[in-house]
Amino acid sequence: MEKTLAKKVLAVDIDGTITLNGFGKIHLQALEKLRNLKNDGHHVIFVTGRSSIEAYFLSIFGGLTLLGVGENGGCITHGEIMTHKMIGDKNECQNAFSYLKKSLDEPIKEKPVFPRLTEVVLDRTFDIKNAQAILDEEGFNVGLFDSGYAYHINSRGVDKGSGLIKALEMLNADLEDTIALGDSETDVPMFRTVKNNIAVNNSIPELKEIAKIVTTKNSGEGLLEGLSMISDQFL
């Protein structure tokens, strides 16, 4: 008797993973593949450093599961009537930003992005390790993360891995039946959480080191390649 594979959850980063050349243009063939997987009964959700609202809107237009994990795990937007589940604390992130503005000699300013509900997004104009050390010394309960596009201030313990766990609980889905796809530093916690993971070729070295599969192609082409490589076993 042919073995019936469990339905999967595909947790997909957006920028650098399903976009072209880092400019926010969606790789349409990759999106079509994800839609086909959703039509086959799998959940397909975006887990991104962008806002959860952007992820949610892309899921609508892409015909995917109506759930987006955004702000590096800080907020989940979901449901046929758009609803937000906020995990991070915007106030503590804003307080940390205000302190850094007073403490750093380097320029520090917010990046113009889609409004955030739980995090602060900054231009990459300062030493992030030094800034984190200053915040730790003052006892701020936040972390600084580099998405490659911007620096993000998130509540401590909030990341793509913890946000994905919350999303799986909402979907009543199993971590063992989840596949993660990504490319950047902010995807590392998600890859450490999900053992079945795919790093596209343009990923940072740290992500490639812990990935189960590393593709030979970049971004959307890499996503297609990676899914093809695991389709017989997982999909």
Side-chain angles (χ1 to χ4, degrees):
M1 181 180 295
E2 183 178 351
K3 182 180 179 181
T4 301
L5 295 176
K7 300 302 183 183
K8 305 299 180 184
V9 176
L10 286 91
V12 184
D13 171 54
I14 296 178
D15 292 291
T17 302
I18 194 174
T19 58
L20 293 166
N21 303 320
F23 294 112
K25 182 178 179 182
I26 298 297
H27 190 289
L28 294 181
Q29 288 79 17
L31 186 61
E32 180 182 18
K33 174 63 175 179
L34 295 176
R35 182 190 295 121
N36 289 340
L37 289 169
K38 168 61 168 58
N39 290 340
D40 287 341
H42 303 293
H43 282 298
V44 181
I45 63 175
F46 291 115
V47 183
T48 178
R50 288 178 180 258
S51 75
S52 57
I53 298 173
E54 290 173 281
Y56 178 83
F57 286 162
L58 183 55
S59 73
I60 292 175
F61 289 110
L64 309 178
T65 304
L66 295 181
L67 186 151
V69 181
E71 306 188 18
N72 294 308
C75 188
I76 300 173
T77 299
H78 61 98
E80 292 187 3
I81 299 176
M82 188 171 66
T83 304
H84 307 299
K85 180 180 181 64
M86 288 182 280
I87 303 165
D89 185 336
K90 177 69 175 283
N91 286 334
E92 65 184 2
C93 296
Q94 193 66 53
N95 290 339
F97 169 53
S98 297
Y99 186 81
L100 285 177
K101 284 197 295 184
K102 295 185 298 183
S103 304
L104 292 180
D105 294 330
E106 303 160 282
I108 177 171
K109 62 180 181 178
E110 289 191 77
K111 193 174 187 71
V113 294
F114 198 97
R116 297 303 204 254
L117 298 175
T118 68
E119 70 168 2
V120 175
V121 184
L122 305 174
D123 281 328
R124 300 170 77 244
T125 56
F126 58 93
D127 185 329
I128 189 172
K129 291 184 179 179
N130 178 53
Q132 183 70 69
I134 290 172
L135 293 175
D136 289 344
E137 185 176 347
E138 289 301 313
F140 284 97
N141 193 33
V142 301
L144 273 164
F145 303 95
D146 184 2
S147 65
Y149 169 75
Y151 292 155
H152 303 254
I153 305 179
N154 296 104
S155 299
R156 184 79 69 183
V158 168
D159 55 45
K160 287 188 179 182
S162 62
L164 176 58
I165 290 294
K166 294 287 187 183
L168 294 178
E169 291 172 358
M170 295 166 67
L171 295 170
N172 194 28
D174 194 325
L175 185 62
E176 296 300 313
D177 292 322
T178 302
I179 302 164
L181 301 99
D183 74 301
S184 75
E185 177 182 320
T186 57
D187 294 313
V188 169
M190 180 166 66
F191 274 42
R192 295 197 186 280
T193 301
V194 180
K195 69 176 183 179
N196 297 316
N197 48 57
I198 301 170
V200 291
N201 187 57
N202 51 290
S203 298
I204 63 167
E206 183 180 359
L207 197 69
K208 289 182 176 180
E209 288 175 4
I210 63 174
K212 183 169 186 174
I213 292 174
V214 178
T215 69
T216 64
K217 299 178 181 179
N218 294 341
S219 302
E221 292 295 327
L223 182 147
L224 290 170
E225 178 189 6
L227 290 179
S228 176
M229 291 169 72
I230 66 168
S231 60
D232 290 342
Q233 183 179 359
F234 292 108
L235 297 171

